[in-house]
Amino acid sequence: MIWKKLFQGDKTLWVIFFFLVVISLVEVYSASSTLAYQGRMMTPILKHTAFVILSIGTIIVVSRFNAVTLKYMGGGLYFISLGLLIIAAFSGTSINGASRWIPLPFGLTFQPSEVMKIALVMVAAFVYTLLGHVSAKKRFAWFLVLTAVPLLIIAKDNLSTAILIAVFFFFISWIGSAPSKYLFWLCVVGLGTALLAYLLLLTLPGETLSKISNRAPTWKNRIVSDPALKEMTPAQRDSMMYVITDDNFQESHAKIAIARGGLFGVLPGNSIERDILPQAFSDYIYAIIIEEMGFIFGGSTYPSGLLHPFF
């Protein structure tokens, strides 16, 4: 009876949730085993377990709130996360060249953009349901402003999250019956911005890009091939495809992990690349998941948000 009282709601969703939680615990533990050489193997799994317990408790508490309470919670969460985003942008902890983290006690760090994702979902529900009496044009305008402000802050150091939020905004607006002409111009502006950013990355030198964003040189390296390759003959370029250098080390070993996984994987605990890829238990966890669980199971965990992609 106590389980029924605690875990109310759709049983199917709870089963899926706990299935993904178990996968995440197994994979983080497996991917962090390389830290046994340094005597701190348990640190990532203990940290991850703490977050899992906190998330389960949060779900149990929030599931008991009614729609009116959630409305005000969504607004409060939005402005709190927006304030934290601003703090992280100007005085946050820099990890891998990105100032997107806020330090917490006990050596933990906090990423406000993750909270903003939840806040925007709640804001979208408020705009497109509780504001049903407002015209579609005004609902679209409200949601656009509320999404654009954090989007611009996040994009500077976390482009992948910004793109995810932009795609979420478009599809929610489409489902919410936003005027077609606004969605059309939104696509035009989005594609134009992407094209301009692409041209800037191609033309501006690395020093200039660094002044715009610490992550800009990394973005450029992901879309621009090594100039030295252009001077090689086709035969030389083909031979270089299989040479692992400092520049392509992480990319190459991530691809090796994915290739080893195949459809069904090598099973948890049998990864080889976890001992080679840097930060295998965090930045490159998805490559390890594919290696150990294959495309079939690994692909099903990606949309959950519980396990971070490696790119």
Side-chain angles (χ1 to χ4, degrees), residues 82-93 98-102 112 152-154 156-157 214:
L82 183 61
L84 293 174
L85 278 174
I86 296 173
I87 294 174
F90 289 98
S91 59
T93 300
S99 299
R100 61 178 80 150
W101 306 85
I102 294 178
L152 294 174
I153 300 174
I154 293 172
K156 180 178 179 295
D157 287 314
N214 292 331

Short mmCIF file of all heavy atoms in Angstrom, two decimals, residues 82-93 98-102 112 152-154 156-157 214:
data_model
loop_
_atom_site.label_atom_id
_atom_site.label_comp_id
_atom_site.label_asym_id
_atom_site.label_seq_id
_atom_site.Cartn_x
_atom_site.Cartn_y
_atom_site.Cartn_z
N LEU A 82 16.34 31.79 -14.36
CA LEU A 82 16.88 32.89 -15.17
C LEU A 82 17.93 33.66 -14.40
O LEU A 82 19.00 34.01 -14.93
CB LEU A 82 15.74 33.81 -15.60
CG LEU A 82 16.12 34.99 -16.51
CD1 LEU A 82 16.72 34.48 -17.82
CD2 LEU A 82 14.92 35.88 -16.79
N GLY A 83 17.66 33.92 -13.12
CA GLY A 83 18.65 34.59 -12.29
C GLY A 83 19.92 33.77 -12.13
O GLY A 83 21.04 34.31 -12.18
N LEU A 84 19.76 32.46 -11.97
CA LEU A 84 20.92 31.58 -11.84
C LEU A 84 21.72 31.52 -13.14
O LEU A 84 22.96 31.41 -13.12
CB LEU A 84 20.48 30.18 -11.42
CG LEU A 84 19.88 30.06 -10.02
CD1 LEU A 84 19.35 28.66 -9.79
CD2 LEU A 84 20.93 30.42 -8.97
N LEU A 85 21.03 31.59 -14.28
CA LEU A 85 21.72 31.61 -15.57
C LEU A 85 22.60 32.85 -15.69
O LEU A 85 23.74 32.78 -16.18
CB LEU A 85 20.71 31.59 -16.72
CG LEU A 85 20.12 30.24 -17.12
CD1 LEU A 85 19.04 30.44 -18.18
CD2 LEU A 85 21.21 29.31 -17.65
N ILE A 86 22.09 33.97 -15.25
CA ILE A 86 22.86 35.21 -15.30
C ILE A 86 24.07 35.13 -14.38
O ILE A 86 25.18 35.53 -14.74
CB ILE A 86 21.97 36.41 -14.92
CG1 ILE A 86 20.85 36.58 -15.96
CG2 ILE A 86 22.80 37.69 -14.82
CD1 ILE A 86 19.82 37.62 -15.59
N ILE A 87 23.87 34.56 -13.18
CA ILE A 87 24.99 34.40 -12.24
C ILE A 87 26.05 33.48 -12.84
O ILE A 87 27.25 33.76 -12.78
CB ILE A 87 24.47 33.83 -10.90
CG1 ILE A 87 23.57 34.86 -10.21
CG2 ILE A 87 25.64 33.44 -10.00
CD1 ILE A 87 22.90 34.33 -8.96
N ALA A 88 25.61 32.36 -13.43
CA ALA A 88 26.55 31.40 -14.02
C ALA A 88 27.31 32.02 -15.19
O ALA A 88 28.50 31.72 -15.40
CB ALA A 88 25.81 30.15 -14.48
N ALA A 89 26.64 32.89 -15.96
CA ALA A 89 27.28 33.50 -17.12
C ALA A 89 28.41 34.44 -16.72
O ALA A 89 29.42 34.55 -17.42
CB ALA A 89 26.24 34.23 -17.96
N PHE A 90 28.24 35.14 -15.60
CA PHE A 90 29.21 36.15 -15.21
C PHE A 90 30.19 35.69 -14.13
O PHE A 90 31.32 36.16 -14.08
CB PHE A 90 28.48 37.42 -14.73
CG PHE A 90 27.80 38.17 -15.83
CD1 PHE A 90 26.45 38.00 -16.05
CD2 PHE A 90 28.50 39.02 -16.66
CE1 PHE A 90 25.79 38.69 -17.08
CE2 PHE A 90 27.88 39.70 -17.69
CZ PHE A 90 26.52 39.54 -17.90
N SER A 91 29.76 34.78 -13.28
CA SER A 91 30.65 34.37 -12.19
C SER A 91 30.60 32.87 -11.93
O SER A 91 30.94 32.43 -10.84
CB SER A 91 30.29 35.13 -10.90
OG SER A 91 28.95 34.89 -10.53
N GLY A 92 30.14 32.10 -12.91
CA GLY A 92 30.05 30.65 -12.73
C GLY A 92 31.39 29.98 -12.85
O GLY A 92 32.39 30.58 -13.28
N THR A 93 31.43 28.71 -12.48
CA THR A 93 32.64 27.91 -12.59
C THR A 93 32.83 27.46 -14.03
O THR A 93 31.90 26.99 -14.67
CB THR A 93 32.55 26.67 -11.68
OG1 THR A 93 32.39 27.10 -10.32
CG2 THR A 93 33.80 25.82 -11.80
N ALA A 98 33.74 26.38 -20.55
CA ALA A 98 32.38 26.91 -20.55
C ALA A 98 31.98 27.30 -19.14
O ALA A 98 32.03 26.49 -18.22
CB ALA A 98 31.40 25.87 -21.09
N SER A 99 31.57 28.56 -18.97
CA SER A 99 31.13 29.06 -17.66
C SER A 99 29.63 28.86 -17.54
O SER A 99 28.85 29.80 -17.69
CB SER A 99 31.51 30.54 -17.50
OG SER A 99 32.89 30.72 -17.58
N ARG A 100 29.22 27.65 -17.29
CA ARG A 100 27.79 27.36 -17.23
C ARG A 100 27.41 26.65 -15.93
O ARG A 100 26.32 26.15 -15.78
CB ARG A 100 27.39 26.48 -18.42
CG ARG A 100 28.11 25.15 -18.44
CD ARG A 100 27.68 24.26 -19.60
NE ARG A 100 28.32 24.64 -20.83
CZ ARG A 100 28.59 23.77 -21.82
NH1 ARG A 100 28.29 22.49 -21.68
NH2 ARG A 100 29.16 24.17 -22.94
N TRP A 101 28.33 26.60 -14.98
CA TRP A 101 28.12 25.86 -13.75
C TRP A 101 28.19 26.78 -12.53
O TRP A 101 28.95 27.74 -12.50
CB TRP A 101 29.18 24.76 -13.59
CG TRP A 101 29.26 23.84 -14.77
CD1 TRP A 101 29.99 24.05 -15.91
CD2 TRP A 101 28.59 22.60 -14.94
NE1 TRP A 101 29.81 23.00 -16.78
CE2 TRP A 101 28.96 22.09 -16.21
CE3 TRP A 101 27.73 21.85 -14.14
CZ2 TRP A 101 28.49 20.88 -16.68
CZ3 TRP A 101 27.26 20.65 -14.62
CH2 TRP A 101 27.64 20.17 -15.87
N ILE A 102 27.41 26.44 -11.50
CA ILE A 102 27.44 27.14 -10.23
C ILE A 102 27.95 26.15 -9.18
O ILE A 102 27.39 25.06 -9.03
CB ILE A 102 26.05 27.68 -9.84
CG1 ILE A 102 25.63 28.77 -10.82
CG2 ILE A 102 26.06 28.22 -8.41
CD1 ILE A 102 24.25 29.33 -10.54
N PRO A 112 22.33 25.63 -14.28
CA PRO A 112 21.00 26.27 -14.31
C PRO A 112 20.21 25.99 -15.59
O PRO A 112 18.98 26.01 -15.57
CB PRO A 112 21.33 27.76 -14.19
CG PRO A 112 22.66 27.82 -13.55
CD PRO A 112 23.40 26.61 -14.05
N LEU A 152 19.25 33.20 -25.36
CA LEU A 152 20.42 34.02 -25.72
C LEU A 152 21.53 33.87 -24.68
O LEU A 152 22.72 33.90 -25.03
CB LEU A 152 20.01 35.48 -25.85
CG LEU A 152 19.05 35.79 -27.02
CD1 LEU A 152 18.61 37.25 -26.96
CD2 LEU A 152 19.72 35.49 -28.35
N ILE A 153 21.16 33.72 -23.42
CA ILE A 153 22.17 33.55 -22.36
C ILE A 153 22.82 32.18 -22.47
O ILE A 153 24.05 32.06 -22.35
CB ILE A 153 21.52 33.74 -20.97
CG1 ILE A 153 20.91 35.14 -20.85
CG2 ILE A 153 22.55 33.51 -19.87
CD1 ILE A 153 20.12 35.35 -19.56
N ILE A 154 22.02 31.16 -22.71
CA ILE A 154 22.54 29.79 -22.76
C ILE A 154 23.41 29.57 -23.99
O ILE A 154 24.43 28.87 -23.92
CB ILE A 154 21.36 28.79 -22.75
CG1 ILE A 154 20.64 28.85 -21.40
CG2 ILE A 154 21.85 27.36 -23.02
CD1 ILE A 154 19.35 28.04 -21.37
N LYS A 156 25.57 31.21 -25.52
CA LYS A 156 26.97 31.67 -25.46
C LYS A 156 27.93 30.55 -25.05
O LYS A 156 29.03 30.44 -25.58
CB LYS A 156 27.08 32.84 -24.49
CG LYS A 156 28.49 33.41 -24.35
CD LYS A 156 28.49 34.60 -23.42
CE LYS A 156 29.90 35.15 -23.26
NZ LYS A 156 30.81 34.21 -22.59
N ASP A 157 27.51 29.71 -24.11
CA ASP A 157 28.40 28.67 -23.60
C ASP A 157 27.88 27.26 -23.80
O ASP A 157 28.61 26.30 -23.57
CB ASP A 157 28.65 28.88 -22.09
CG ASP A 157 29.57 30.06 -21.82
OD1 ASP A 157 30.60 30.17 -22.50
OD2 ASP A 157 29.24 30.87 -20.94
N ASN A 214 34.01 31.54 -25.39
CA ASN A 214 35.10 30.60 -25.16
C ASN A 214 34.90 29.29 -25.92
O ASN A 214 35.85 28.57 -26.20
CB ASN A 214 35.22 30.30 -23.66
CG ASN A 214 35.69 31.50 -22.86
OD1 ASN A 214 36.41 32.35 -23.38
ND2 ASN A 214 35.28 31.58 -21.61
#
